[in-house]
Amino acid sequence: MISTALLLTAAAASLPLATAHISPFHPSMYGFNVTEQTFPYDNRPVAPLQDMTFEQWWFHGHLDFPPHPGDTFDLPAGKAATMELACNKGLTSFFASSENGVDIRAGDNPCTSDDGSFPSGAMHTTGFDDLKGCALAIAYESDVSKIKPEDFAVFSVNQTCVWNRFTDFQVPDRMPPCPEGGCHCAWFWIHAPDGGSEQNYMNGFRCDISGSTSNVALAKPKVPRRCGEDPEHGQPQATPGNCTYGAKQPFYWFQKERNNMFEDASAPPFYTDLYNFRDGSQDDIFEDSYPNGIPDPSPDQTAVPTPVFPSTSASQPTSTAASSTSSFPQPSRRAISRPKKNGHDVAKQLYTKMKLSRDRTDVDVKAHLLQARRAQHWIPDSN
């Protein structure tokens, strides 16, 4: 006789997971146990966020569903914090509290597909070279009601997100300890436009820094600027002088209110070198990271600041002034290894598709993309 457990497992495995999306799962999350029936609309942790009010998108609208006291995500200073990403809680170590309570884990696969193909549609990517990264940000505040969007500072980026269920986020070794009651963190992801529509992902959770050896606070995070090599949109070379250096805010994009990004559908912001988010720990986010200051960024700026890392300053030379164009920061290893696409064709195709398919007469596409470039001499092809 076939056991009930086997029948449940088979039934759960047959669910249309490809219609879902990706989010982290951990008991420290706000909304960890939210299901498709909790809200009048689908507001599960995996549900994408777009065109929403601030109350709906901030912390995914899950502030009334906090984690249990004591459930905290540990961030070991100077080490990697491993987070489980999936399109269904049943695919994670926390399957017992999923809607079906059945273990449907598939190794390191974050989302199985109906036909067995990989990557699944929930991953919103055409392949490994189409991944656009995700980020963890932190706010040094234990009272979630006091946190504002501009308080979050990105401290770790994984540019190969969401390829693996077990995803490592390197934590800077100089992260200071959290206040009494801990910190709050959030996971952010925006995928490539060829993987779907204008979707944001934000999931907040309680977090705490362990093994801290520094008391230097994080600098006030600033809005990231589009400054990297961008051949898909007619920008074949990076403009490092236009980058935001130091602590940076996450992207708040394509919502009805409280956006800090104004790119349109054909050119979303990504957690990659395009916005000076290097793969791994963001080690220049502290108040003393740039003792000589940071020049005002602009497309014509030729001076690029040099960060100082006190923990390694004895073995690494530091600059006493902003560097010249000959010292522009180099792309991350992932950016170097990524094959180049036919930028002009991709840009034109996406822009044309967007103009034909989007029903938003209130959006000036060119103006938004130009604003994204912060006055750089670049707009989409008008043909």
Side-chain angles (χ1 to χ4, degrees), residues 70-129:
D71 283 339
T72 302
F73 190 81
D74 180 51
L75 297 169
K79 299 179 181 178
T82 302
M83 181 169 279
E84 291 189 53
L85 307 180
C87 63
N88 185 296
K89 194 193 295 186
L91 286 161
T92 74
S93 301
F94 312 104
F95 63 86
S97 64
S98 64
E99 293 186 56
N100 295 291
V102 178
D103 182 0
I104 55 173
R105 289 177 291 181
D108 204 26
N109 187 345
C111 191
T112 55
S113 59
D114 296 337
D115 60 3
S117 61
F118 183 88
S120 67
M123 296 167 68
H124 291 288
T125 183
T126 60
F128 188 81
D129 297 324

Side-chain angles (χ1 to χ4, degrees), residues 225 227 238-245 295-304 328:
R225 297 166 66 94
C227 64
T239 52
N242 198 45
C243 292
T244 298
Y245 292 89
D296 292 334
S298 76
D300 300 320
Q301 178 63 261
T302 59
V304 174
F328 281 168

Side-chain angles (χ1 to χ4, degrees), residues 224-255:
R225 297 166 66 94
R226 198 178 186 104
C227 64
E229 179 182 326
D230 194 11
E232 284 94 345
H233 299 99
Q235 193 75 18
Q237 295 183 343
T239 52
N242 198 45
C243 292
T244 298
Y245 292 89
K248 294 184 281 294
Q249 298 175 19
F251 301 129
Y252 306 124
W253 178 68
F254 237 93
Q255 306 299 346

Side-chain angles (χ1 to χ4, degrees), residues 18-199:
T19 62
H21 305 271
I22 302 289
S23 79
F25 284 97
H26 190 270
S28 62
M29 288 171 55
Y30 286 77
F32 179 63
N33 291 315
V34 166
T35 69
E36 195 168 359
Q37 288 73 43
T38 306
F39 285 76
Y41 59 97
D42 184 5
N43 198 32
R44 294 170 297 160
V46 298
L49 308 170
Q50 61 189 95
D51 293 319
M52 290 185 169
T53 64
F54 179 69
E55 184 179 18
Q56 289 176 314
W57 70 259
W58 181 239
F59 273 75
H60 215 294
H62 291 161
L63 288 178
D64 291 334
F65 301 86
H68 293 297
D71 283 339
T72 302
F73 190 81
D74 180 51
L75 297 169
K79 299 179 181 178
T82 302
M83 181 169 279
E84 291 189 53
L85 307 180
C87 63
N88 185 296
K89 194 193 295 186
L91 286 161
T92 74
S93 301
F94 312 104
F95 63 86
S97 64
S98 64
E99 293 186 56
N100 295 291
V102 178
D103 182 0
I104 55 173
R105 289 177 291 181
D108 204 26
N109 187 345
C111 191
T112 55
S113 59
D114 296 337
D115 60 3
S117 61
F118 183 88
S120 67
M123 296 167 68
H124 291 288
T125 183
T126 60
F128 188 81
D129 297 324
D130 193 47
L131 298 171
K132 299 300 182 182
C134 63
L136 293 186
I138 190 169
Y140 275 75
E141 175 57 63
S142 59
D143 185 348
V144 71
S145 67
K146 296 181 179 179
I147 301 174
K148 302 181 294 295
E150 54 268 27
D151 293 332
F152 272 120
V154 173
F155 67 90
S156 187
V157 167
N158 187 310
Q159 292 188 356
T160 62
C161 194
V162 293
W163 198 253
N164 306 101
R165 169 185 156 207
F166 294 104
T167 301
D168 285 346
F169 291 92
Q170 298 295 327
V171 182
D173 59 7
R174 300 185 64 221
M175 293 293 280
C178 289
E180 184 177 356
C183 295
H184 278 86
C185 292
W187 178 82
F188 295 90
W189 174 43
I190 297 176
H191 56 68
D194 56 12
S197 57
E198 308 80 28
Q199 297 174 341

